[in-house]
Amino acid sequence: MAYVIGADVGGTFTDAVLDDSKGTVIAAKSPSTPPDYSVGVINALELLAEQLGVSLDEMLADTHHIAHGTTSSLNALVMGNVPDVGFLTTAGHRDSIYIMNVEGRYLGRSADQLQNVQGQEKTHALLPKSHALEVIERIDRDGNVVVALDEDAARDSIRQLVDQGVEAIAVSLLWSFRNPVHEQRIRELVHEIAPNMFVALSSEVSPRIREFARSATTIMSAQIGPGLRDYLGELEGTLRKHKLAGPLLVMQSNGGAVAAPEAPKTAISTVGSVLTGGVIGSLSLSKQLGHRNVIATDVGGTTFLAGLIVDGEPVRSTTTIINHHPINVPTLEVHAIGSGGGAIAWIDNGGNLQIGPHSAQAVPGPACYGQGGSEPTNADSNLVLGILPESGLLGGKKKLNKELAREAIRTRIAEPLGLSVEEAAAAIYAVQNSQTGDLLRKTVVEAGHDPRDFIVYAFGGSGPAHCARYAAEVGVHTVVVPLGQVASAFSAYGLASSDVVLATELSDPSAVPLDPKQAERNFMQLEEQALEAIGRQGLTFAEVKIEREIDMRFTAQLAEIAVPVPNGHLDDNILADAADWFDRRYAELYGEGTGFRGAGIQAITYRVRVTGVLPFSPELPPLATADGPDASEAKTGTRPVCLDGQRGYVDTDIYDYRKLAAGHVIPGPAIIEVPTTTVVVPHDTTGSIDHLGNLTIVPN
């Protein structure tokens, strides 16, 4: 038996999903264990083995591979919890990363912040100036060596950084994406002086034009590279001791995995790896259900995440932003806010109720966990409202204390606002649904789509409790909760569904019409690099797929769009069609008439994406079919539940998902309890179970 396992390490819980070649899918959930998250991974894997009725060693000996996603890299960057890093760049260009070009004024800022020009500050320096040094060298825009590398001066700079105690060195030289020879030589010099020093080269991490973005991406990759290397090395060592047969893969933000030994080399590509797992899981499920347009929503313990699938393909981006700095790596486009189940409710200076972005996380956790937390959270509100069972989470393994939840809400929210505890809890629930709805509106509408054309997929530990309401906020009529064993661990299901995906890039700015021979040479070079890299992954693939694209823009504009280009021989007509596609897509995104073809079109960056398709990926097994729609045999009783502050508490039917079958219909209001999550079917909706065990919620 060959197993595939996805392991998703979140800020609050660690999830794991296992499937096999016969269609078995099981899931497990265990509290995350900061600072050593590997303990939580092993705990979750042991729970999977327990369900199989085998030992951990026996399960791992039959495992084809483990796909692992973690928020640790992202959290480290966001919170600035990174080691000291050195930076080497071309003489005269050190201050680029502090000046931040004009981008430092607008990247990562809301519309209100952009209008407040006087209040804008560039306060997010990636490293102190004492750690940023220069080397004497110069390569021109065509890749020609104009000034040879002064190796003696470079050694002096390297020794200064080593003496300052840096744990990694980032190297980003001018025009190195055209010719990386000087960056590669500097790495050799670093290892002559400090053999174990982690080194990140911009020509490998982000070989794109634009100096500031390339340097920032390389520095951040160096900041998380050593920690990722050490963590993955220790985790893989532990897994090998437990007889893991196949490789450990690490999810990347581009929606595909990479072998663990390869991941630290371009560590920045793993930022957001957990965020993309849910989108990939949704893509897998949407193919089974025949859904082309999907909003994937994941409400975990810490964050609310939303990503799009449009016309059967996940929406991708070439850049993301952290702390006002650009990260130039291919990624699935996922929007996030701190509004998970553990998000803390608080009152601002204006007396307004706010939810998040701070979270109680796994430690100390929400007040109802009884682990010392005193701040009220979404989970505390849901317990007071009757949405969560007092018997606890994880099938009763995680006990909940309702009185502690009530006390936290009373002292921090209810009394300051002059409300009862129940009214305050209902207000927290309403605000949570409203602000998650706002993120969906931003995700869908601002991308030029109509929400009514989409179906919401809702998962994560808290997503099923809120999904019907936040979907209604944006006018989506159909919600699918992927139940069975995977509802709250759906991102881990996505990890187990992922293939190996590698991307190579090359910036070669030129005006349209393009030279077909030069474009084909660029793509051939990138394909050779990508195929060589995928051969190092240690896996046998069912198929290897190659995709090409070119980032294009109107001349002198900033907005670039990735344009698909067919494989094989290129000619003038094919490249002209690509330019026409860009013109049409620009109008779709920004409005008819916003483009100006007369200004000309430029091709900026060429990209090749190679996908190694793994032998099998998980599919939800079919569910037994009910004799009719009546689901009363799955009812376990009733309890007072408040889903609407105006309606108050209503005696609500409670269902055990494990007793439901395909074809059962559940009229709202109802609560469906799954060992790892709780689903709310509001009073004005109806739920039904499909052939795979998914719950579909629609308005009456």
Side-chain angles (χ1 to χ4, degrees):
M1 182 64 65
Y3 302 121
V4 172
I5 298 174
D8 168 6
V9 180
T12 306
F13 286 102
T14 294
D15 301 334
V17 166
L18 174 147
D19 78 289
D20 61 30
S21 53
K22 293 184 177 180
T24 301
V25 179
I26 60 174
K29 200 175 191 72
S30 181
S32 294
T33 56
D36 185 0
Y37 288 97
S38 65
V39 174
V41 173
I42 298 300
N43 291 343
L45 295 180
E46 287 178 335
L47 292 175
L48 290 178
E50 183 180 310
Q51 294 181 57
L52 291 173
V54 300
S55 69
L56 176 62
D57 289 12
E58 289 172 324
M59 180 183 75
L60 293 181
D62 285 334
T63 296
H64 181 270
H65 70 273
I66 294 177
H68 180 40
T70 175
T71 60
S72 60
S73 296
L74 176 63
N75 292 343
L77 289 175
V78 170
M79 295 185 293
N81 185 23
V82 293
D84 289 337
V85 168
F87 176 57
L88 295 174
T89 190
T90 304
H93 291 263
R94 183 192 70 161
D95 286 339
S96 171
I97 58 170
Y98 303 101
I99 296 170
M100 299 173 67
N101 300 344
V102 73
E103 293 174 284
R105 293 292 183 189
Y106 66 83
L107 289 178
R109 301 185 191 275
S110 67
D112 291 340
Q113 291 171 327
L114 288 174
Q115 294 175 29
N116 182 18
V117 177
Q118 290 184 335
Q120 295 171 10
E121 294 181 355
K122 299 177 182 178
T123 57
H124 296 278
L126 291 171
L127 44 83
K129 287 193 174 183
S130 60
H131 288 173
L133 303 179
E134 298 177 343
V135 296
I136 299 171
E137 67 85 40
R138 190 60 182 266
I139 290 174
D140 69 14
R141 55 173 289 178
D142 297 318
N144 301 312
V145 176
V146 178
V147 177
L149 175 66
D150 186 330
E151 296 192 2
D152 290 335
R155 288 188 179 94
D156 289 341
S157 294
I158 293 166
R159 288 191 184 96
Q160 287 185 53
L161 294 176
V162 172
D163 290 343
Q164 291 176 32
V166 301
E167 296 184 32
I169 294 177
V171 185
S172 181
L173 305 180
L174 205 63
W175 297 104
S176 60
F177 63 90
R178 284 290 204 184
N179 184 351
V181 61
H182 286 171
E183 285 194 352
Q184 293 168 349
R185 179 56 182 156
I186 287 176
R187 176 165 55 194
E188 293 173 353
L189 297 178
V190 171
H191 287 156
E192 286 179 8
I193 296 168
N196 296 321
M197 181 68 69
F198 185 93
V199 180
L201 305 183
S202 73
S203 53
E204 296 174 353
V205 174
S206 179
R208 294 191 204 169
I209 196 171
R210 297 190 184 92
E211 178 186 0
F212 163 57
R214 181 162 46 88
S215 296
T217 302
T218 307
I219 291 170
M220 286 188 277
S221 195
Q223 288 174 330
I224 62 175
L228 184 65
R229 175 194 60 194
D230 296 345
Y231 168 74
L232 292 176
E234 292 176 7
L235 176 60
E236 185 165 21
T238 300
L239 293 170
R240 296 298 177 203
K241 290 179 182 177
H242 287 288
K243 312 301 182 186
L244 175 64
L248 173 65
L249 306 181
V250 180
M251 189 69 168
Q252 304 172 99
S253 53
N254 65 12
V258 63
E262 296 286 313
K265 297 176 183 177
T266 53
I268 197 67
S269 68
T270 67
V271 169
S273 61
V274 168
L275 311 188
T276 61
V279 177
I280 295 301
S282 297
L283 181 64
S284 175
L285 181 59
S286 68
K287 291 177 180 178
Q288 297 178 64
L289 298 179
H291 296 153
R292 301 287 292 173
N293 296 327
V294 174
I295 309 171
T297 63
D298 181 353
V299 189
T302 303
T303 52
F304 173 75
L305 313 170
L308 290 183
I309 297 169
V310 178
D311 197 24
E313 291 293 331
V315 174
R316 301 179 183 274
S317 177
T318 59
T319 302
T320 189
I321 309 298
I322 292 182
N323 290 344
H324 310 299
H325 286 88
I327 296 178
N328 276 2
V329 293
T331 179
L332 297 189
E333 192 166 291
V334 178
H335 299 265
I337 55 174
S339 194
I344 295 170
W346 55 285
I347 299 171
D348 66 19
N349 292 333
N352 302 303
L353 177 62
Q354 304 284 348
I355 312 295
H358 298 295
S359 169
Q361 298 190 308
V363 179
C368 61
Y369 280 17
Q371 298 173 172
S374 60
E375 303 279 359
T377 67
N378 283 324
D380 295 303
S381 167
N382 287 354
L383 180 60
V384 170
L385 295 175
I387 295 171
L388 294 179
E390 292 188 51
S391 59
L393 305 175
L394 306 181
K397 293 180 180 179
K398 187 69 174 177
K399 300 298 182 184
L400 301 179
N401 188 316
K402 188 174 182 179
E403 290 308 311
L404 290 177
R406 290 179 58 85
E407 180 64 14
I409 293 172
R410 181 183 67 79
T411 57
R412 303 299 179 99
I413 305 297
E415 290 182 351
L417 293 179
L419 302 173
S420 69
V421 171
E422 291 76 14
E423 289 171 334
I428 292 171
Y429 184 73
V431 171
Q432 162 74 1
N433 294 334
S434 178
Q435 68 183 23
T436 48
D438 285 343
L439 183 67
L440 291 194
R441 193 173 292 107
K442 174 183 176 63
T443 301
V444 182
V445 177
E446 291 187 10
H449 304 295
D450 187 337
R452 293 171 296 183
D453 297 333
F454 286 78
I455 291 173
V456 162
Y457 283 12
F459 42 90
S462 300
H466 297 269
C467 57
R469 287 307 183 215
Y470 62 62
E473 285 275 338
V474 293
V476 175
H477 297 294
T478 303
V479 178
V480 173
V481 180
L483 283 170
Q485 287 276 354
V486 300
S488 70
F490 197 69
S491 288
Y493 171 82
L495 296 174
S497 305
S498 64
D499 294 313
V500 173
V501 179
L502 301 173
T504 52
E505 297 179 323
L506 180 155
S507 284
D508 184 18
S510 50
V512 172
L514 301 175
D515 177 0
K517 292 182 179 179
Q518 179 61 32
E520 194 163 334
R521 279 195 296 269
N522 288 341
F523 280 125
M524 293 299 291
Q525 176 183 334
L526 293 175
E527 287 173 16
E528 182 179 351
Q529 295 172 1
L531 290 172
E532 179 185 354
I534 208 163
R536 297 195 301 264
Q537 304 307 306
L539 285 162
T540 300
F541 301 109
E543 178 187 4
V544 174
K545 298 189 295 187
I546 297 176
E547 299 170 277
R548 295 172 168 180
E549 60 188 29
I550 303 175
D551 292 346
M552 292 186 178
R553 69 176 186 183
F554 286 115
T555 301
Q557 284 201 355
L558 294 176
E560 295 179 7
I561 297 173
V563 178
V565 177
N567 295 330
H569 177 68
L570 299 179
D571 57 30
D572 290 328
N573 291 332
I574 291 174
L575 293 176
D577 289 343
D580 291 341
W581 189 97
F582 162 80
D583 202 8
R584 293 192 301 271
R585 183 57 179 155
Y586 191 96
E588 292 173 0
L589 289 174
Y590 303 109
E592 291 292 337
T594 55
F596 180 42
R597 189 72 178 259
I601 297 174
Q602 292 178 319
I604 304 298
T605 298
Y606 291 74
R607 184 175 302 107
V608 165
R609 187 180 301 108
V610 174
T611 301
V613 180
L614 293 167
F616 65 92
S617 60
E619 292 190 357
L620 295 178
L623 200 66
T625 302
D627 294 332
D630 183 12
S632 57
E633 62 188 32
K635 284 177 57 176
T636 60
T638 62
R639 66 171 175 258
V641 178
C642 177
L643 302 176
D644 185 325
Q646 294 182 338
R647 291 175 180 269
Y649 285 80
V650 175
D651 285 339
T652 301
D653 292 333
I654 311 299
Y655 293 83
D656 183 346
Y657 169 77
R658 293 168 294 186
K659 298 179 181 179
L660 291 170
H664 275 150
V665 175
I666 301 97
I671 299 291
I672 301 173
E673 293 182 346
V674 187
T676 55
T677 191
T678 300
V679 189
V680 168
V681 182
H683 71 277
D684 52 357
T685 66
T686 299
S688 59
I689 305 295
D690 71 11
H691 66 292
L692 297 177
N694 303 302
L695 174 70
T696 300
I697 303 174
V698 296
N700 291 337

